[in-house]
Amino acid sequence: MESAYEWYFRNSPVAFPWTQETRQAIAERRAKLEGSLFIDKLLAFAEIDALAHYPPHDDLSLNQLLSLIQNSPFDDLKKNCLVYYLLKTYDDGREDRFAQDALIPTEFIMLSDAYYCLDWGQLEDAVFSLCDIRVVPDFVSKIIHTLANSENPQQASSLVLKYIRVGKPVLTSIEDLEVYMGALCSSRLLDAWLFQRTFPEEAHPNTRRMKLLRKILDFCLHPRPKPESLKALVSFPFTTFEDTHVINYALNPPNNLSDISIAVLHDLINVRLIHQGRYSEAIRLDRQFSSKFVGDVNGGGVIAKAAESRRISMEELVAVLPAVQRKLLEVELGPSVAPKPSTSNGVMSISGSTDLAMSWEMENSTSSLNKSGVLVPPNHPSTTLPPTSAAPISATPAFRQANPQVAVLQAFAQASSRLEGSLSPASRPSVSNAATGFASSKRLPPAKQAPFGMTPHKSALSASIMASSSTPPQKS
């Protein structure tokens, strides 16, 4: 029995399109697409064995395929779309005549064009049809993976991003999300990092966010470290969840990660912690890296050399830690953490002393005013300051966790109170002298109004110095 579609296949001078070369190309393309083309899936929905009937090898097998399509459980629209796909193989425009006669809607024509282009490797044309707002394709996962398997990796990332951003398919499987994440990493690492933050933080290792974070790190480090990606990764502000996961990844890297990638990852984490002022954590984590991956840091491996380089930096870092933090590290990690004084070219290194008492406070206090407003030498007994704490303010955890502006103001207030208390009673102006000095002095012009309506404020120390400087000299 002759099929109703055979007229469109016979009424043309074009020869039979499915030649031996064409059938071989279809077989190779089928192997690249994991064993099935999009037309194979469509024929399977029509209950037709695609491997047995497509591609046809002669006119007889073509007529048999058309008869199976006509007798399939598909409705007429879907049957017409299958025939439209087959007619496109002739490449002479006869499919347009058939679409017009069969009254196939435009969105179904574009969808059939997309499937045909995907099967034949015309990916850019396929994305153009898939991004039409009227097209709602099936097989979203297969479409994404087909685009990602392009022979040109840069083109593959561009096509995947264009299809997902413009076509807006629903990504349901973790495999689709990982393909999209890979395309984001190839395009812009910051976009990939922000995309993984759209998923909730869950401690389970097989959650989507954990897998996407590993995908980003794998991209940066496998098969070899990518300098530009790692440079961007150093500058990103991590959340606590992200920081914990990256450290766990470094302590338990995947088996396919090379030694040079592991060494670079350890250096990256170390640099991040130091830049954030988390010195104790950097020292503690470096000790974990050395004990787990190196064993003998004097070995010749890449990881051992990187660990030895970091060891020198860690010794210098220990030397600038406050005494309290250094003692805590010694208790936790052993006495080997203690800094060793050393000299280089006759100059004492920073590991020799970490006392910051002779810092800006002592430098600014080398001279002071006596009660007559005259500068006195720095060795004057009235200007001797009490010893200050050796710990820098920024080294304390409270400073990093609290509001920095509030911490600075509190530190300044404490420094002012120490300076005020350091003045001896002999050098402090008496209340009566200060009052007499102000009463006998000429009337001063009114002070300028502070900007933005703020009231000028003077500390007790500055007021006392102003009082002593305004007191007229006593007649002898």
Side-chain angles (χ1 to χ4, degrees), residues 128-158:
F128 176 80
S129 299
L130 291 170
C131 289
D132 191 281
I133 194 174
R134 296 166 294 181
V135 176
V136 183
D138 301 305
F139 321 119
V140 171
S141 295
K142 188 171 181 62
I143 292 174
I144 293 176
H145 286 271
T146 301
L147 297 177
N149 290 331
S150 174
E151 296 180 356
N152 186 347
Q154 188 157 4
Q155 182 195 35
S157 300
S158 176

Short mmCIF file of all heavy atoms in Angstrom, two decimals, residues 128-158:
data_model
loop_
_atom_site.label_atom_id
_atom_site.label_comp_id
_atom_site.label_asym_id
_atom_site.label_seq_id
_atom_site.Cartn_x
_atom_site.Cartn_y
_atom_site.Cartn_z
N PHE A 128 19.95 28.73 17.35
CA PHE A 128 19.10 29.81 16.86
C PHE A 128 17.63 29.42 16.90
O PHE A 128 16.76 30.20 17.30
CB PHE A 128 19.52 30.19 15.43
CG PHE A 128 18.65 31.23 14.80
CD1 PHE A 128 18.81 32.57 15.09
CD2 PHE A 128 17.64 30.86 13.91
CE1 PHE A 128 17.99 33.54 14.52
CE2 PHE A 128 16.82 31.81 13.33
CZ PHE A 128 17.00 33.15 13.64
N SER A 129 17.31 28.19 16.49
CA SER A 129 15.92 27.74 16.51
C SER A 129 15.44 27.46 17.93
O SER A 129 14.30 27.76 18.28
CB SER A 129 15.77 26.48 15.65
OG SER A 129 16.12 26.72 14.30
N LEU A 130 16.32 26.91 18.77
CA LEU A 130 15.91 26.55 20.13
C LEU A 130 15.67 27.78 21.00
O LEU A 130 14.92 27.70 21.98
CB LEU A 130 16.98 25.68 20.78
CG LEU A 130 17.15 24.27 20.21
CD1 LEU A 130 18.39 23.62 20.78
CD2 LEU A 130 15.92 23.43 20.49
N CYS A 131 16.30 28.90 20.70
CA CYS A 131 16.15 30.10 21.51
C CYS A 131 14.89 30.89 21.17
O CYS A 131 14.63 31.92 21.82
CB CYS A 131 17.39 31.00 21.35
SG CYS A 131 18.86 30.33 22.15
N ASP A 132 14.13 30.45 20.19
CA ASP A 132 12.87 31.12 19.90
C ASP A 132 11.90 30.90 21.05
O ASP A 132 11.77 29.79 21.57
CB ASP A 132 12.28 30.60 18.59
CG ASP A 132 11.12 31.43 18.11
OD1 ASP A 132 9.99 31.27 18.65
OD2 ASP A 132 11.31 32.26 17.19
N ILE A 133 11.22 31.96 21.45
CA ILE A 133 10.36 31.89 22.63
C ILE A 133 9.19 30.93 22.43
O ILE A 133 8.62 30.40 23.39
CB ILE A 133 9.86 33.30 23.00
CG1 ILE A 133 9.25 33.31 24.38
CG2 ILE A 133 8.87 33.81 21.94
CD1 ILE A 133 8.88 34.69 24.87
N ARG A 134 8.84 30.65 21.19
CA ARG A 134 7.69 29.77 20.92
C ARG A 134 8.06 28.30 20.99
O ARG A 134 7.18 27.44 21.05
CB ARG A 134 7.13 30.08 19.53
CG ARG A 134 6.56 31.48 19.38
CD ARG A 134 6.33 31.83 17.92
NE ARG A 134 7.59 31.92 17.19
CZ ARG A 134 7.67 32.24 15.90
NH1 ARG A 134 6.57 32.47 15.19
NH2 ARG A 134 8.85 32.31 15.31
N VAL A 135 9.35 27.99 20.99
CA VAL A 135 9.81 26.61 20.94
C VAL A 135 9.99 26.07 22.34
O VAL A 135 10.67 26.68 23.17
CB VAL A 135 11.13 26.51 20.15
CG1 VAL A 135 11.66 25.09 20.18
CG2 VAL A 135 10.91 26.98 18.71
N VAL A 136 9.36 24.94 22.62
CA VAL A 136 9.51 24.25 23.91
C VAL A 136 10.02 22.85 23.60
O VAL A 136 9.24 21.93 23.34
CB VAL A 136 8.19 24.20 24.68
CG1 VAL A 136 8.41 23.53 26.05
CG2 VAL A 136 7.60 25.58 24.85
N PRO A 137 11.34 22.65 23.62
CA PRO A 137 11.89 21.37 23.18
C PRO A 137 11.79 20.29 24.25
O PRO A 137 11.69 20.56 25.45
CB PRO A 137 13.35 21.71 22.89
CG PRO A 137 13.65 22.82 23.84
CD PRO A 137 12.38 23.61 23.98
N ASP A 138 11.80 19.06 23.79
CA ASP A 138 12.00 17.91 24.66
C ASP A 138 13.51 17.61 24.69
O ASP A 138 14.30 18.26 24.01
CB ASP A 138 11.24 16.70 24.13
CG ASP A 138 9.74 16.98 24.03
OD1 ASP A 138 9.15 17.38 25.05
OD2 ASP A 138 9.18 16.82 22.92
N PHE A 139 13.88 16.63 25.50
CA PHE A 139 15.27 16.16 25.55
C PHE A 139 16.24 17.30 25.90
O PHE A 139 17.28 17.49 25.25
CB PHE A 139 15.68 15.52 24.22
CG PHE A 139 14.62 14.70 23.57
CD1 PHE A 139 14.14 15.05 22.31
CD2 PHE A 139 14.08 13.59 24.19
CE1 PHE A 139 13.17 14.30 21.69
CE2 PHE A 139 13.11 12.82 23.57
CZ PHE A 139 12.65 13.19 22.32
N VAL A 140 15.93 18.08 26.93
CA VAL A 140 16.77 19.22 27.30
C VAL A 140 18.18 18.74 27.67
O VAL A 140 19.19 19.34 27.26
CB VAL A 140 16.13 20.00 28.46
CG1 VAL A 140 17.10 21.05 28.99
CG2 VAL A 140 14.85 20.66 27.99
N SER A 141 18.27 17.68 28.43
CA SER A 141 19.59 17.19 28.85
C SER A 141 20.43 16.77 27.65
O SER A 141 21.63 17.09 27.57
CB SER A 141 19.44 16.01 29.82
OG SER A 141 18.84 16.42 31.02
N LYS A 142 19.81 16.09 26.71
CA LYS A 142 20.56 15.64 25.52
C LYS A 142 20.98 16.84 24.67
O LYS A 142 22.07 16.84 24.09
CB LYS A 142 19.70 14.68 24.70
CG LYS A 142 20.46 14.03 23.56
CD LYS A 142 19.65 12.95 22.92
CE LYS A 142 20.45 12.29 21.78
NZ LYS A 142 21.69 11.64 22.26
N ILE A 143 20.12 17.86 24.61
CA ILE A 143 20.50 19.07 23.86
C ILE A 143 21.71 19.73 24.49
O ILE A 143 22.68 20.11 23.80
CB ILE A 143 19.31 20.04 23.80
CG1 ILE A 143 18.18 19.48 22.94
CG2 ILE A 143 19.75 21.39 23.26
CD1 ILE A 143 16.92 20.31 22.96
N ILE A 144 21.71 19.88 25.81
CA ILE A 144 22.83 20.54 26.50
C ILE A 144 24.12 19.75 26.31
O ILE A 144 25.18 20.33 26.02
CB ILE A 144 22.49 20.71 27.99
CG1 ILE A 144 21.35 21.71 28.16
CG2 ILE A 144 23.72 21.18 28.77
CD1 ILE A 144 20.88 21.87 29.58
N HIS A 145 24.06 18.43 26.45
CA HIS A 145 25.27 17.63 26.31
C HIS A 145 25.75 17.60 24.86
O HIS A 145 26.96 17.53 24.60
CB HIS A 145 25.02 16.22 26.82
CG HIS A 145 24.96 16.13 28.32
ND1 HIS A 145 26.07 15.92 29.11
CD2 HIS A 145 23.91 16.25 29.17
CE1 HIS A 145 25.71 15.89 30.39
NE2 HIS A 145 24.41 16.10 30.45
N THR A 146 24.82 17.66 23.91
CA THR A 146 25.22 17.71 22.50
C THR A 146 25.96 19.00 22.20
O THR A 146 26.99 19.00 21.51
CB THR A 146 23.99 17.58 21.60
OG1 THR A 146 23.31 16.35 21.87
CG2 THR A 146 24.38 17.62 20.13
N LEU A 147 25.46 20.12 22.72
CA LEU A 147 26.15 21.39 22.52
C LEU A 147 27.51 21.40 23.22
O LEU A 147 28.48 21.97 22.70
CB LEU A 147 25.28 22.54 23.06
CG LEU A 147 23.93 22.75 22.36
CD1 LEU A 147 23.16 23.87 23.07
CD2 LEU A 147 24.12 23.10 20.89
N ALA A 148 27.59 20.78 24.39
CA ALA A 148 28.85 20.78 25.15
C ALA A 148 29.91 19.90 24.51
O ALA A 148 31.11 20.08 24.77
CB ALA A 148 28.59 20.32 26.58
N ASN A 149 29.49 18.94 23.66
CA ASN A 149 30.45 18.03 23.03
C ASN A 149 30.94 18.54 21.68
O ASN A 149 31.45 17.76 20.87
CB ASN A 149 29.80 16.65 22.85
CG ASN A 149 29.60 15.93 24.16
OD1 ASN A 149 30.34 16.15 25.11
ND2 ASN A 149 28.59 15.08 24.22
N SER A 150 30.80 19.82 21.45
CA SER A 150 31.31 20.40 20.22
C SER A 150 32.83 20.22 20.15
O SER A 150 33.52 20.20 21.17
CB SER A 150 30.96 21.88 20.14
OG SER A 150 31.57 22.50 19.03
N GLU A 151 33.35 20.08 18.93
CA GLU A 151 34.78 19.87 18.76
C GLU A 151 35.58 21.10 19.19
O GLU A 151 36.75 20.98 19.54
CB GLU A 151 35.08 19.52 17.30
CG GLU A 151 34.45 18.20 16.86
CD GLU A 151 34.75 17.88 15.42
OE1 GLU A 151 35.39 18.74 14.75
OE2 GLU A 151 34.35 16.80 14.96
N ASN A 152 34.98 22.27 19.13
CA ASN A 152 35.64 23.50 19.57
C ASN A 152 35.18 23.81 20.99
O ASN A 152 34.03 24.17 21.21
CB ASN A 152 35.28 24.65 18.63
CG ASN A 152 36.05 25.91 18.95
OD1 ASN A 152 36.68 26.03 20.01
ND2 ASN A 152 36.00 26.88 18.05
N PRO A 153 36.04 23.66 22.01
CA PRO A 153 35.61 23.88 23.40
C PRO A 153 35.07 25.28 23.66
O PRO A 153 34.10 25.44 24.40
CB PRO A 153 36.88 23.60 24.22
CG PRO A 153 37.72 22.75 23.34
CD PRO A 153 37.44 23.21 21.95
N GLN A 154 35.70 26.28 23.07
CA GLN A 154 35.23 27.64 23.29
C GLN A 154 33.85 27.86 22.67
O GLN A 154 32.99 28.52 23.25
CB GLN A 154 36.23 28.65 22.72
CG GLN A 154 35.91 30.08 23.07
CD GLN A 154 37.11 30.99 23.01
OE1 GLN A 154 38.19 30.53 22.62
NE2 GLN A 154 36.94 32.22 23.37
N GLN A 155 33.65 27.28 21.49
CA GLN A 155 32.34 27.37 20.87
C GLN A 155 31.29 26.61 21.69
O GLN A 155 30.15 27.05 21.82
CB GLN A 155 32.39 26.80 19.45
CG GLN A 155 31.05 26.90 18.70
CD GLN A 155 31.01 26.02 17.48
OE1 GLN A 155 31.58 24.92 17.49
NE2 GLN A 155 30.36 26.48 16.43
N ALA A 156 31.69 25.48 22.27
CA ALA A 156 30.76 24.70 23.08
C ALA A 156 30.28 25.50 24.27
O ALA A 156 29.08 25.54 24.58
CB ALA A 156 31.44 23.41 23.53
N SER A 157 31.20 26.17 25.00
CA SER A 157 30.80 26.97 26.15
C SER A 157 29.88 28.11 25.74
O SER A 157 28.88 28.39 26.40
CB SER A 157 32.05 27.53 26.85
OG SER A 157 32.88 26.49 27.29
N SER A 158 30.19 28.74 24.62
CA SER A 158 29.36 29.85 24.15
C SER A 158 27.96 29.39 23.79
O SER A 158 26.96 30.05 24.13
CB SER A 158 30.04 30.52 22.95
OG SER A 158 29.22 31.53 22.41
#
